Amino acid sequence: MADSEVRVCDVSEEAKKKIKAFRFKRASTNCALILKIDKEKLSIIVDEEHEDISLEELREELPSSQPRYVLYIYKNVHSDGRTSYPMCFIFISPAGMKPELSMMYAGSKPSLINETQMTKIFELRDLDELTEEWLKSQLGIR
């Protein structure tokens, strides 16, 4: 394989099952499903699952120098008292990572987004930006 060729990874069967379960979850709190690439198997796998986790806590769980895909359910209480649970896909690709890894994650992202059927898709280069204020601005919540 030429060095310039991007290796696109498949979504593992276990990850597909977890993604489906996550999408149909009847959440009452913030939840996260963290996915990563297994470079040996060229497969997207589940890294971690979290129930009732704030974005600040999630930020502590994520590696600062490695990319991750995060599916996140955000509990939003509106000013009129209604509660909604927007679900979003956050691709975290820190600056300064190896170009090969960066291309592998970027090249695999479209098929993972297709698998998750997510429509709220965001990208971050710096983990420090992963805050509630950032997410609310991305979601258009005031």
PDB file of all heavy atoms in Angstrom, residues 76 78 86 120 122 132-142:
ATOM      1  N   ASN A  76     -30.992  18.978  28.084  1.00  0.00           N
ATOM      2  CA  ASN A  76     -31.165  20.428  28.050  1.00  0.00           C
ATOM      3  C   ASN A  76     -32.523  20.801  28.628  1.00  0.00           C
ATOM      4  O   ASN A  76     -33.552  20.382  28.113  1.00  0.00           O
ATOM      5  CB  ASN A  76     -31.060  20.952  26.609  1.00  0.00           C
ATOM      6  CG  ASN A  76     -31.250  22.443  26.532  1.00  0.00           C
ATOM      7  OD1 ASN A  76     -30.688  23.181  27.323  1.00  0.00           O
ATOM      8  ND2 ASN A  76     -32.048  22.889  25.583  1.00  0.00           N
ATOM      9  N   HIS A  78     -35.089  23.594  29.035  1.00  0.00           N
ATOM     10  CA  HIS A  78     -35.423  24.873  28.406  1.00  0.00           C
ATOM     11  C   HIS A  78     -35.971  25.852  29.441  1.00  0.00           C
ATOM     12  O   HIS A  78     -36.403  25.451  30.517  1.00  0.00           O
ATOM     13  CB  HIS A  78     -36.474  24.652  27.306  1.00  0.00           C
ATOM     14  CG  HIS A  78     -35.982  23.754  26.213  1.00  0.00           C
ATOM     15  ND1 HIS A  78     -35.420  24.225  25.050  1.00  0.00           N
ATOM     16  CD2 HIS A  78     -35.948  22.400  26.113  1.00  0.00           C
ATOM     17  CE1 HIS A  78     -35.077  23.209  24.287  1.00  0.00           C
ATOM     18  NE2 HIS A  78     -35.388  22.092  24.906  1.00  0.00           N
ATOM     19  N   PRO A  86     -30.919  16.466  22.952  1.00  0.00           N
ATOM     20  CA  PRO A  86     -30.275  16.410  21.646  1.00  0.00           C
ATOM     21  C   PRO A  86     -29.095  15.431  21.655  1.00  0.00           C
ATOM     22  O   PRO A  86     -28.371  15.334  22.643  1.00  0.00           O
ATOM     23  CB  PRO A  86     -29.803  17.842  21.387  1.00  0.00           C
ATOM     24  CG  PRO A  86     -29.944  18.568  22.661  1.00  0.00           C
ATOM     25  CD  PRO A  86     -30.838  17.774  23.559  1.00  0.00           C
ATOM     26  N   LYS A 120     -26.427  16.103  13.977  1.00  0.00           N
ATOM     27  CA  LYS A 120     -25.714  17.183  14.669  1.00  0.00           C
ATOM     28  C   LYS A 120     -24.251  16.742  14.807  1.00  0.00           C
ATOM     29  O   LYS A 120     -23.904  15.994  15.712  1.00  0.00           O
ATOM     30  CB  LYS A 120     -26.351  17.456  16.033  1.00  0.00           C
ATOM     31  CG  LYS A 120     -27.775  17.981  15.930  1.00  0.00           C
ATOM     32  CD  LYS A 120     -28.426  18.032  17.304  1.00  0.00           C
ATOM     33  CE  LYS A 120     -29.810  18.628  17.266  1.00  0.00           C
ATOM     34  NZ  LYS A 120     -30.783  17.831  16.537  1.00  0.00           N
ATOM     35  N   PHE A 122     -20.231  17.781  15.002  1.00  0.00           N
ATOM     36  CA  PHE A 122     -19.314  18.849  15.381  1.00  0.00           C
ATOM     37  C   PHE A 122     -17.892  18.320  15.436  1.00  0.00           C
ATOM     38  O   PHE A 122     -17.675  17.129  15.627  1.00  0.00           O
ATOM     39  CB  PHE A 122     -19.705  19.428  16.745  1.00  0.00           C
ATOM     40  CG  PHE A 122     -21.174  19.738  16.859  1.00  0.00           C
ATOM     41  CD1 PHE A 122     -21.949  19.152  17.835  1.00  0.00           C
ATOM     42  CD2 PHE A 122     -21.806  20.591  15.957  1.00  0.00           C
ATOM     43  CE1 PHE A 122     -23.310  19.411  17.942  1.00  0.00           C
ATOM     44  CE2 PHE A 122     -23.165  20.861  16.041  1.00  0.00           C
ATOM     45  CZ  PHE A 122     -23.917  20.276  17.034  1.00  0.00           C
ATOM     46  N   GLU A 132     -19.858  23.036  28.136  1.00  0.00           N
ATOM     47  CA  GLU A 132     -21.304  23.152  27.951  1.00  0.00           C
ATOM     48  C   GLU A 132     -21.633  24.378  27.096  1.00  0.00           C
ATOM     49  O   GLU A 132     -22.516  24.337  26.254  1.00  0.00           O
ATOM     50  CB  GLU A 132     -21.998  23.229  29.317  1.00  0.00           C
ATOM     51  CG  GLU A 132     -23.477  23.028  29.218  1.00  0.00           C
ATOM     52  CD  GLU A 132     -24.149  22.755  30.560  1.00  0.00           C
ATOM     53  OE1 GLU A 132     -23.466  22.563  31.580  1.00  0.00           O
ATOM     54  OE2 GLU A 132     -25.389  22.739  30.548  1.00  0.00           O
ATOM     55  N   GLU A 133     -20.907  25.469  27.311  1.00  0.00           N
ATOM     56  CA  GLU A 133     -21.144  26.692  26.530  1.00  0.00           C
ATOM     57  C   GLU A 133     -20.896  26.424  25.050  1.00  0.00           C
ATOM     58  O   GLU A 133     -21.663  26.857  24.190  1.00  0.00           O
ATOM     59  CB  GLU A 133     -20.231  27.838  27.007  1.00  0.00           C
ATOM     60  CG  GLU A 133     -20.539  28.334  28.400  1.00  0.00           C
ATOM     61  CD  GLU A 133     -20.095  27.381  29.517  1.00  0.00           C
ATOM     62  OE1 GLU A 133     -19.064  26.671  29.343  1.00  0.00           O
ATOM     63  OE2 GLU A 133     -20.791  27.317  30.540  1.00  0.00           O
ATOM     64  N   TRP A 134     -19.788  25.706  24.737  1.00  0.00           N
ATOM     65  CA  TRP A 134     -19.462  25.388  23.354  1.00  0.00           C
ATOM     66  C   TRP A 134     -20.580  24.539  22.737  1.00  0.00           C
ATOM     67  O   TRP A 134     -21.050  24.829  21.639  1.00  0.00           O
ATOM     68  CB  TRP A 134     -18.123  24.638  23.278  1.00  0.00           C
ATOM     69  CG  TRP A 134     -17.824  24.118  21.903  1.00  0.00           C
ATOM     70  CD1 TRP A 134     -17.289  24.813  20.856  1.00  0.00           C
ATOM     71  CD2 TRP A 134     -18.087  22.799  21.405  1.00  0.00           C
ATOM     72  NE1 TRP A 134     -17.207  24.001  19.742  1.00  0.00           N
ATOM     73  CE2 TRP A 134     -17.677  22.765  20.058  1.00  0.00           C
ATOM     74  CE3 TRP A 134     -18.616  21.638  21.971  1.00  0.00           C
ATOM     75  CZ2 TRP A 134     -17.799  21.618  19.256  1.00  0.00           C
ATOM     76  CZ3 TRP A 134     -18.730  20.503  21.181  1.00  0.00           C
ATOM     77  CH2 TRP A 134     -18.322  20.504  19.839  1.00  0.00           C
ATOM     78  N   LEU A 135     -21.008  23.491  23.461  1.00  0.00           N
ATOM     79  CA  LEU A 135     -22.026  22.599  22.923  1.00  0.00           C
ATOM     80  C   LEU A 135     -23.339  23.348  22.713  1.00  0.00           C
ATOM     81  O   LEU A 135     -23.987  23.195  21.669  1.00  0.00           O
ATOM     82  CB  LEU A 135     -22.244  21.387  23.829  1.00  0.00           C
ATOM     83  CG  LEU A 135     -23.213  20.336  23.273  1.00  0.00           C
ATOM     84  CD1 LEU A 135     -22.718  19.769  21.945  1.00  0.00           C
ATOM     85  CD2 LEU A 135     -23.430  19.231  24.274  1.00  0.00           C
ATOM     86  N   LYS A 136     -23.739  24.164  23.672  1.00  0.00           N
ATOM     87  CA  LYS A 136     -24.979  24.932  23.510  1.00  0.00           C
ATOM     88  C   LYS A 136     -24.899  25.842  22.290  1.00  0.00           C
ATOM     89  O   LYS A 136     -25.873  25.964  21.550  1.00  0.00           O
ATOM     90  CB  LYS A 136     -25.250  25.768  24.779  1.00  0.00           C
ATOM     91  CG  LYS A 136     -25.833  24.951  25.899  1.00  0.00           C
ATOM     92  CD  LYS A 136     -26.144  25.851  27.080  1.00  0.00           C
ATOM     93  CE  LYS A 136     -27.034  25.157  28.076  1.00  0.00           C
ATOM     94  NZ  LYS A 136     -27.482  26.050  29.145  1.00  0.00           N
ATOM     95  N   SER A 137     -23.743  26.470  22.061  1.00  0.00           N
ATOM     96  CA  SER A 137     -23.616  27.340  20.895  1.00  0.00           C
ATOM     97  C   SER A 137     -23.701  26.520  19.605  1.00  0.00           C
ATOM     98  O   SER A 137     -24.300  26.937  18.628  1.00  0.00           O
ATOM     99  CB  SER A 137     -22.336  28.172  20.950  1.00  0.00           C
ATOM    100  OG  SER A 137     -21.203  27.366  20.663  1.00  0.00           O
ATOM    101  N   GLN A 138     -23.102  25.315  19.588  1.00  0.00           N
ATOM    102  CA  GLN A 138     -23.170  24.435  18.410  1.00  0.00           C
ATOM    103  C   GLN A 138     -24.610  23.990  18.137  1.00  0.00           C
ATOM    104  O   GLN A 138     -25.016  23.867  16.996  1.00  0.00           O
ATOM    105  CB  GLN A 138     -22.279  23.204  18.597  1.00  0.00           C
ATOM    106  CG  GLN A 138     -20.803  23.492  18.737  1.00  0.00           C
ATOM    107  CD  GLN A 138     -20.240  24.183  17.515  1.00  0.00           C
ATOM    108  OE1 GLN A 138     -20.354  23.718  16.399  1.00  0.00           O
ATOM    109  NE2 GLN A 138     -19.614  25.324  17.731  1.00  0.00           N
ATOM    110  N   LEU A 139     -25.339  23.733  19.217  1.00  0.00           N
ATOM    111  CA  LEU A 139     -26.720  23.257  19.094  1.00  0.00           C
ATOM    112  C   LEU A 139     -27.717  24.411  18.897  1.00  0.00           C
ATOM    113  O   LEU A 139     -28.905  24.175  18.684  1.00  0.00           O
ATOM    114  CB  LEU A 139     -27.119  22.457  20.337  1.00  0.00           C
ATOM    115  CG  LEU A 139     -26.427  21.107  20.506  1.00  0.00           C
ATOM    116  CD1 LEU A 139     -26.687  20.539  21.902  1.00  0.00           C
ATOM    117  CD2 LEU A 139     -26.877  20.123  19.438  1.00  0.00           C
ATOM    118  N   GLY A 140     -27.228  25.646  19.005  1.00  0.00           N
ATOM    119  CA  GLY A 140     -28.108  26.814  18.850  1.00  0.00           C
ATOM    120  C   GLY A 140     -29.014  27.015  20.052  1.00  0.00           C
ATOM    121  O   GLY A 140     -30.114  27.558  19.920  1.00  0.00           O
ATOM    122  N   ILE A 141     -28.547  26.593  21.232  1.00  0.00           N
ATOM    123  CA  ILE A 141     -29.324  26.755  22.466  1.00  0.00           C
ATOM    124  C   ILE A 141     -28.864  28.022  23.156  1.00  0.00           C
ATOM    125  O   ILE A 141     -27.684  28.276  23.303  1.00  0.00           O
ATOM    126  CB  ILE A 141     -29.100  25.542  23.410  1.00  0.00           C
ATOM    127  CG1 ILE A 141     -29.574  24.255  22.743  1.00  0.00           C
ATOM    128  CG2 ILE A 141     -29.815  25.762  24.742  1.00  0.00           C
ATOM    129  CD1 ILE A 141     -29.184  22.990  23.497  1.00  0.00           C
ATOM    130  N   ARG A 142     -29.824  28.814  23.605  1.00  0.00           N
ATOM    131  CA  ARG A 142     -29.468  30.067  24.299  1.00  0.00           C
ATOM    132  C   ARG A 142     -29.516  29.887  25.787  1.00  0.00           C
ATOM    133  O   ARG A 142     -30.138  29.123  26.359  1.00  0.00           O
ATOM    134  CB  ARG A 142     -30.423  31.182  23.886  1.00  0.00           C
ATOM    135  CG  ARG A 142     -30.368  31.410  22.403  1.00  0.00           C
ATOM    136  CD  ARG A 142     -31.071  32.679  22.004  1.00  0.00           C
ATOM    137  NE  ARG A 142     -31.322  32.716  20.597  1.00  0.00           N
ATOM    138  CZ  ARG A 142     -30.377  32.847  19.676  1.00  0.00           C
ATOM    139  NH1 ARG A 142     -29.139  32.948  20.008  1.00  0.00           N
ATOM    140  NH2 ARG A 142     -30.701  32.886  18.403  1.00  0.00           N
TER     141      ARG A 142
END
